[in-house]
Amino acid sequence: MEYEGAHSWSIRSIAEYAYCPRLFYLVAVEGLNADNEHTVKGKIIHKTVDRPTSLPCAKDNVGKEETPQGNMRSLTLYDKDNELMGILDYVEFDGDCAVPVEYRKGRAPRVDAELWEVDRIQLGLQAHLLKSAGYHVEQVGVYYSQNNEKRYFPADKSLVSEAIEKASRAKKAAESSTRPEPTKDTWKCDGCSLAEACLPFETNKLLSKRPAKTPYPPRMDGLHVIAQTDGVGIGCRGNCLIFRDAEMRPVKELPLAGMESLTVYGNVQVSTQALSRMAAQDVHVTYATNAGKLLYHLDSGSKTGVHIRKSQFEKLADQQARLELARSLIAAKISNQRTILLRNARGERDAGARLKELREKAESATSMEALRGIEGAAARTYFQSLAKALKNEEIASAFAKNGRKRRPAPDPFNACLSFCYALLANECTTALTTAHLDPGLGALHEYRPGRPALACDIMEVFRPLIADSVALSLINKRLIKPSDFKSTAEGTMLGERGRTALFSCMEKRMRETVTHPAFDYKIDYRRMIHLHAKLIAGWMRGDYDSLHFLMTR
């Protein structure tokens, strides 16, 4: 908050510091925010007291007829000297005496229990603000909504002094460029809305080898919508998206609640009203060509995550850090290539041994040029043997002859691979945006206008496990037919039916679960991509020094 040119710290953020210094840093310093069932319930409880009461409340009014009597809701007060501001839920006035009352969604503790530390700090600062405004504060109160009970506690000097001292410590913590470590009282993390951004269990695991708890929920089951039929129009009505055919007839209606992404392929029209509504709901919107090439990704314009992106720019300016990240990514990629090859082309043991050797070399590469050479050698070995995993002889022969080629794809399997890679790049771009990283600045892939370099980096780990696996399934399980492809001067491309089959197979793969090697819990592939993006963000912020990417057996 800004007050007469000076920064004012919210007393709510100081209370968050008392609960968890890392939570305070993420919210007050980095500007991260998120809702869950607990925060939504809290907002419902505060719905009444969040409507300000229009009553005079100034130091000059103390002792005069205009002095507030009764109560006041959502009262805003400042302390310029201590750089504090607060919006008090509810204040009971009696002449020049005031009693601040804080609203809580939970149940009142047992009768002889004292105030929780968070309540002590928040009410202590509220008492301080009221005293600074000229009022006498002898009591503070808490209203517990779950059992509709209000309790009062004495507002002695120790309550206020403890709160002021905590505010001073919070301000010092905010001056640091490093996040505080996650709390060791991990029971606090279970209901925290920022647990996914904080990664407390994973960070503690990497720092002290403590076991990591499976994230909740283990799956990302939001709605991921794909629009690909030429002439379709997308509008909105209320809190729903309306899909219309080329004759403007409504064909489908989908609620925005629970929707996570919309991907548009080809000539599909989206209204500005629908885009605005999706931006307000944080629905990620991606535009791509019919061939799957990413055109652009719409960001809702979130102002959070500046510190994370600043750390990203600083970290990747260090050539050694870039090499460290690139080594970890390529080693994981080669390991996963070997796994896919041994699973699907069982006779290629020599190629598997070669890939194992190249993975070990990647882990100890001393330069980016050497690492790229190792990656290229692994790719040649992998794709030469991958042709033998294809059960359709005609498609296998064409791929063996052409090898891995793109722009244009010369055969059906290359077309499937290219389209799957485009979908995977979109998923990785969304994950990086959610983690407040800049997808355009990477480590392995050099910056180039229009290229999401960091998304290309992170997708290296998942190319074999997701994209290559989906492409093999489409051919080997006959989910896609030769008639689903069309050959033009631009190369071989999937038709609408082929794309539909590919989307279905890709979504099924994204919902399959896999075990993370460092944390020993199972989550689905889409959540795994988001986890990797957040782990990279934590590494760039200095939360830990080691990087652990997905490698399957």
Side-chain angles (χ1 to χ4, degrees):
M1 297 293 295
E2 293 294 330
Y3 176 66
E4 295 183 359
H7 182 275
S8 295
W9 290 100
S10 164
I11 62 174
R12 178 183 176 182
S13 67
I14 305 300
E16 287 171 342
Y17 176 82
Y19 185 77
C20 173
R22 187 174 173 91
L23 173 63
F24 159 79
Y25 195 93
L26 292 175
V27 175
V29 179
E30 295 190 7
L32 306 185
N33 209 345
D35 278 326
N36 63 5
E37 59 175 319
H38 302 289
T39 61
V40 170
K41 287 179 181 178
K43 288 178 179 178
I44 293 172
I45 297 302
H46 282 77
K47 188 175 182 179
T48 300
V49 294
D50 282 346
R51 291 196 295 267
T53 303
S54 298
L55 288 175
C57 183
K59 189 172 181 179
D60 295 338
N61 290 329
V62 176
K64 298 181 181 180
E65 292 182 0
E66 292 83 358
T67 300
Q69 301 291 327
N71 60 68
M72 182 178 289
R73 299 184 304 269
S74 194
L75 171 62
T76 301
L77 293 174
Y78 291 90
D79 174 11
K80 183 179 178 181
D81 295 334
N82 288 288
E83 298 179 332
L84 292 172
M85 68 81 60
I87 302 176
L88 284 59
D89 286 349
Y90 188 83
V91 184
E92 299 171 350
F93 288 103
D94 184 7
D96 61 356
C97 293
V99 179
V101 179
E102 183 66 21
Y103 274 53
R104 294 298 185 198
K105 72 177 181 67
R107 180 179 295 274
R110 60 182 185 274
V111 176
D112 59 346
E114 296 182 354
L115 280 167
W116 292 102
E117 182 184 13
V118 174
D119 293 336
R120 285 202 315 272
I121 299 305
Q122 192 153 355
L123 286 167
L125 291 174
Q126 290 181 9
H128 168 75
L129 290 176
L130 285 165
K131 288 181 178 181
S132 299
Y135 294 97
H136 298 292
V137 183
E138 297 180 355
Q139 282 186 318
V140 295
V142 182
Y143 171 74
Y144 299 96
S145 65
Q146 194 167 342
N147 52 354
N148 194 25
E149 182 178 345
K150 187 187 295 183
R151 291 191 183 173
Y152 294 95
F153 303 86
D156 51 24
K157 290 183 179 180
S158 63
L159 183 76
V160 176
S161 60
E162 178 189 5
I164 294 296
E165 191 273 336
K166 189 71 71 174
S168 177
R169 290 172 57 184
K171 293 174 192 176
K172 290 181 180 178
E175 295 173 358
S176 173
S177 60
T178 305
R179 291 173 174 173
E181 290 186 6
T183 177
K184 299 300 186 289
D185 300 325
T186 49
W187 57 268
K188 295 181 178 180
C189 306
D190 290 336
C192 180
S193 63
L194 285 180
E196 284 198 32
C198 173
L199 297 180
F201 304 106
E202 290 81 1
T203 302
N204 280 330
K205 166 79 173 181
L206 295 175
L207 290 175
S208 58
K209 308 302 182 183
R210 298 177 67 181
K213 181 179 178 180
T214 303
Y216 180 81
R219 302 175 65 92
M220 296 183 71
D221 285 332
L223 194 61
H224 298 268
V225 181
I226 293 173
Q228 61 156 335
T229 304
D230 286 348
V232 164
I234 303 175
C236 69
R237 182 170 58 210
N239 205 37
C240 293
L241 289 185
I242 308 297
F243 294 79
R244 302 179 186 274
D245 61 18
E247 283 72 38
M248 298 301 293
R249 293 172 299 193
V251 293
K252 199 172 189 64
E253 182 174 326
L254 293 174
L256 278 168
M259 187 179 295
E260 291 187 9
S261 70
L262 170 69
T263 306
V264 175
Y265 292 93
N267 188 24
V268 175
Q269 305 297 319
V270 185
S271 72
T272 54
Q273 292 85 353
L275 290 174
S276 298
R277 188 60 60 87
M278 286 187 284
Q281 296 279 355
D282 284 331
V283 176
H284 298 278
V285 182
T286 302
Y287 283 81
T289 66
N290 279 323
K293 181 182 177 182
L294 176 67
L295 293 176
Y296 45 90
H297 185 90
L298 299 185
D299 191 350
S300 62
S302 173
K303 298 179 182 179
T304 62
V306 173
H307 289 75
I308 297 177
R309 290 191 290 274
K310 179 174 178 289
S311 297
Q312 176 187 359
F313 299 147
E314 293 173 347
K315 190 82 170 181
L316 296 183
D318 182 353
Q319 294 300 318
Q320 193 59 37
R322 290 184 63 193
L323 179 61
E324 181 183 354
L325 175 58
R327 273 198 307 243
S328 299
L329 291 166
I330 294 306
K333 174 188 177 181
I334 296 174
S335 177
N336 293 332
Q337 284 177 329
R338 179 175 181 271
T339 297
I340 292 297
L341 200 60
L342 293 179
R343 284 179 184 175
N344 295 278
R346 298 183 182 276
E348 296 299 300
R349 295 192 177 275
D350 290 343
R354 173 63 175 158
L355 289 174
K356 182 178 180 180
E357 177 187 341
L358 289 170
R359 186 199 69 194
E360 293 170 354
K361 288 184 177 180
E363 291 173 337
S364 57
T366 57
S367 69
M368 199 70 75
E369 291 73 18
L371 183 62
R372 292 192 179 104
I374 294 168
E375 180 198 16
R380 286 190 296 273
T381 301
Y382 171 68
F383 284 115
Q384 285 171 2
S385 298
L386 192 62
K388 299 176 183 178
L390 293 168
K391 296 180 180 179
N392 184 302
E393 293 184 3
E394 182 180 349
I395 293 177
S397 175
F399 183 70
K401 177 183 177 182
N402 295 319
R404 171 65 186 132
K405 288 184 179 179
R406 54 177 185 159
R407 298 194 187 113
D411 57 76
F413 191 61
N414 266 306
C416 288
L417 286 175
S418 294
F419 208 103
C420 288
Y421 291 157
L423 293 181
L424 184 57
N426 295 344
E427 292 279 355
C428 292
T429 300
T430 298
L432 292 168
T433 303
T434 303
H436 307 289
L437 290 166
D438 187 338
L441 182 63
L444 178 68
H445 293 81
E446 295 289 348
Y447 166 76
R448 193 173 69 198
R451 171 197 275 176
L454 189 58
C456 293
D457 285 354
I458 193 175
M459 71 180 282
E460 296 294 350
V461 178
F462 298 97
R463 281 179 188 264
L465 299 177
I466 297 177
D468 297 354
S469 178
V470 168
L472 286 171
S473 295
L474 288 168
I475 302 300
N476 292 343
K477 294 181 180 180
R478 299 179 182 178
L479 300 175
I480 204 165
K481 302 176 182 178
S483 59
D484 294 324
F485 296 90
K486 55 182 180 180
S487 297
T488 68
E490 294 181 345
T492 302
M493 294 189 298
L494 281 161
E496 186 175 322
R497 184 195 171 281
R499 291 198 303 268
T500 301
L502 188 147
F503 292 145
S504 177
C505 191
M506 187 76 167
E507 185 61 26
K508 182 179 178 181
R509 183 62 171 173
M510 295 298 287
R511 292 181 181 272
E512 291 181 10
T513 58
V514 62
T515 302
H516 193 284
F519 307 129
D520 300 322
Y521 55 55
K522 281 189 174 183
I523 54 178
D524 65 59
Y525 275 109
R526 179 171 282 117
R527 192 176 180 91
M528 186 69 75
I529 293 173
H530 281 255
L531 173 64
H532 277 54
K534 289 166 185 173
L535 286 171
I536 291 175
W539 175 73
M540 289 177 173
R541 289 292 288 137
D543 288 354
Y544 32 77
D545 296 327
S546 55
L547 289 162
H548 296 274
F549 295 120
L550 177 63
M551 290 186 282
T552 61
R553 298 177 181 177

